[in-house]
Amino acid sequence: MGGKWVLRILYHLSTGMLRFGELNRQMPEVTQATLTKELRRLEGFQLIKRKVYPEVPPRVEYSLTEIGMKLLPVLKELEIWGDEYKKYIKR
């Protein structure tokens, strides 16, 4: 499940459903191609679900699956550790 963007994608989806464009705006440093590839990988791992609406242009929404939601406590702990680490290295 490695990848530079996986944790950030999961973090942003932890707030709720996001459309591709919204997710892309929240992560401007990732290319659309890379974001698409990582979203497909996470969908393959069944951590996120993708809902496509039959519209023109197509509307696609992403959200965490039930098993993906179970990662949220782990993400929160990583965030806490990161904050503590920032304080540690500033000493």
Side-chain angles (χ1 to χ4, degrees):
M1 199 178 78
K4 181 177 181 178
W5 305 106
V6 169
L7 291 178
R8 291 202 46 204
I9 292 168
L10 293 173
Y11 173 78
H12 287 297
L13 290 176
S14 72
T15 62
M17 180 279 309
L18 290 173
R19 293 176 64 181
F20 181 87
E22 295 169 323
L23 194 53
N24 195 229
R25 279 190 291 282
Q26 291 184 15
M27 301 172 56
E29 54 285 324
V30 64
T31 66
Q32 286 187 1
T34 299
L35 181 57
T36 298
K37 182 181 84 172
E38 294 301 323
L39 287 167
R40 286 185 181 150
R41 286 181 61 222
L42 288 168
E43 188 180 9
F45 291 132
Q46 299 181 20
L47 297 176
I48 66 170
K49 56 186 164 194
R50 176 178 184 256
K51 184 170 183 179
V52 180
Y53 293 87
E55 301 171 351
V56 176
R59 178 171 46 126
V60 180
E61 297 176 341
Y62 295 91
S63 59
L64 294 175
T65 60
E66 187 177 328
I67 195 69
M69 296 286 280
K70 292 183 185 239
L71 271 173
L72 295 182
V74 175
L75 291 176
K76 185 63 180 168
E77 287 300 317
L78 281 172
E79 180 183 23
I80 292 168
W81 178 86
D83 291 341
E84 290 176 11
Y85 181 72
K86 286 180 199 173
K87 292 175 190 173
Y88 177 81
I89 61 173
K90 287 183 180 180
R91 291 197 242 163

